[in-house]
Amino acid sequence: MTELVTEKAALKALPGTTAVVMTMGALHDGHRELMRAARAHADRLIVTIFVNPLQFGPDEDFDRYPRTLDKDLELCAAERADVVFAPSVDEMYPGGLPAVRVEAGALGEVFEGASRPGHFTGVLTVVCKLLQLTRADVTFFGEKDFQQLALVRRMVRDLDLPVDVRGVPTVREPDGLARSSRNRYLSVAEREAALTLSRALHAGAAQVTAEGALSAAHKILDEGTGVRLDYLALTDPLLGPAPATGPARLLVAARVGATRLIDNVPLDLKGP
Ligand code: PAF
């Protein structure tokens, strides 16, 4: 039985280990994968559903972000979540948005943070609150939002939060498009154009040098129509400067129509 909880006070500490999967709802197969990984690691699974106003900029899609609670509850029940915590904005932020926030620092100002000022401070603040409220021992985040995962790891380390953070590989459609709640905004033509992102990353990941990876990916992005590139970046796995050899990450963000999409893949560089 999956219990729906909407009040903080109803989240009780129970014996055994607790895993939490945090979401903004509009759940899809990517979230299912997080829930399955979490279920296998703990006695109890809590899924949180909260569209967090603190992480949306004034011109972003907070009001039109898809809200599909009934369907989401069915999916959580199918994945055997014990509790779904779906508070209102007032319940999470009584008296208005919080004055004290978790500052994301320099890593919060690059890539996604460069075009979304304050976004990661909003994310980390709500993630910190949800970790406290759920008393989670372990939490699972998708690698699709790679910078978010890196920042949550960093917060846990910097603030000594007693929780284990695990990353789960991106779930893709059969044609390569990374699963995202925002994919539902895409028209048929835009969805086709959006494939340019995963194709570019795939081409980049097939290369063995940093230069080769970036130029192979750029070539595909330049040829693609209907895609406005925001950034293509090669980094190390912690989002620092790209190494000449060893594990790296290729990240892309672009606008397709009015929708902003992001994706990333791991690479293993062999050097020039
Ligand atoms: O990735 C998301 O859906 C959100 O950023 C999160 C982690 C649930 C915080 O609101």
Side-chain angles (χ1 to χ4, degrees):
M1 259 290 282
T2 302
E3 184 193 358
L4 173 62
V5 170
T6 56
E7 285 169 19
K8 294 175 192 173
L11 285 169
K12 297 270 179 295
L14 292 166
T17 52
T18 297
V20 66
V21 169
M22 296 177 195
T23 79
M24 298 203 300
L27 303 179
H28 51 70
D29 281 358
H31 298 109
R32 261 183 202 269
E33 211 50 44
L34 296 180
M35 291 179 208
R36 284 178 195 163
R39 185 73 274 172
H41 271 85
D43 300 320
R44 185 168 46 258
L45 169 59
I46 302 181
V47 177
T48 70
I49 299 180
F50 179 63
V51 186
N52 174 32
L54 205 56
Q55 70 189 73
F56 286 78
D59 301 326
E60 292 184 2
D61 55 351
F62 176 71
D63 287 328
R64 77 173 186 130
Y65 197 85
R67 287 159 172 90
T68 56
L69 186 62
D70 290 345
K71 256 183 96 198
D72 292 347
L73 291 175
E74 277 171 30
L75 189 146
C76 293
E79 293 304 330
R80 297 180 297 121
D82 297 285
V83 172
V84 171
F85 178 53
S88 65
V89 172
D90 269 1
E91 178 68 12
M92 274 306 269
Y93 300 125
L97 297 180
V100 175
R101 303 178 185 190
V102 179
E103 178 59 57
L107 187 52
E109 281 161 24
V110 291
F111 307 126
E112 287 306 284
S115 57
R116 306 183 71 187
H119 170 69
F120 286 115
T121 291
V123 169
L124 293 184
T125 302
V126 83
V127 169
C128 188
K129 279 168 74 81
L130 290 168
L131 288 173
Q132 304 297 327
L133 289 166
T134 58
R135 302 165 174 91
D137 301 290
V138 57
T139 184
F140 290 75
F141 282 84
E143 288 185 350
K144 165 147 180 308
D145 294 306
F146 199 75
Q147 191 173 3
Q148 170 171 281
L149 171 61
L151 277 162
V152 170
R153 288 191 197 283
R154 189 65 200 253
M155 170 178 75
V156 164
R157 200 184 81 191
D158 286 358
L159 302 185
D160 294 307
L161 302 182
V163 65
D164 184 10
V165 181
R166 308 269 177 118
V168 176
T170 303
V171 176
R172 296 180 181 280
E173 305 281 359
D175 59 10
L177 185 70
R179 286 277 165 100
S180 163
S181 302
R182 291 193 167 100
N183 290 351
R184 68 188 71 195
Y185 298 152
L186 301 170
S187 68
V188 173
E190 286 169 350
R191 197 194 169 292
E192 184 58 33
L195 288 177
T196 308
L197 271 69
S198 53
R199 283 193 191 125
L201 292 179
H202 187 73
Q207 303 296 313
V208 293
T209 65
E211 212 189 341
L214 283 169
S215 70
H218 264 302
K219 186 166 180 294
I220 297 205
L221 288 162
D222 292 347
E223 286 165 6
T225 49
V227 173
R228 270 171 302 135
L229 182 64
D230 183 353
Y231 61 79
L232 174 74
L234 187 68
T235 70
D236 74 5
L238 298 174
L239 292 179
T245 60
R249 206 88 196 175
L250 188 58
L251 305 109
V252 69
R255 239 169 230 288
V256 178
T259 307
R260 193 160 180 287
L261 298 174
I262 58 173
D263 199 354
N264 69 86
V265 289
L267 282 82
D268 194 18
L269 299 173
K270 307 277 185 240

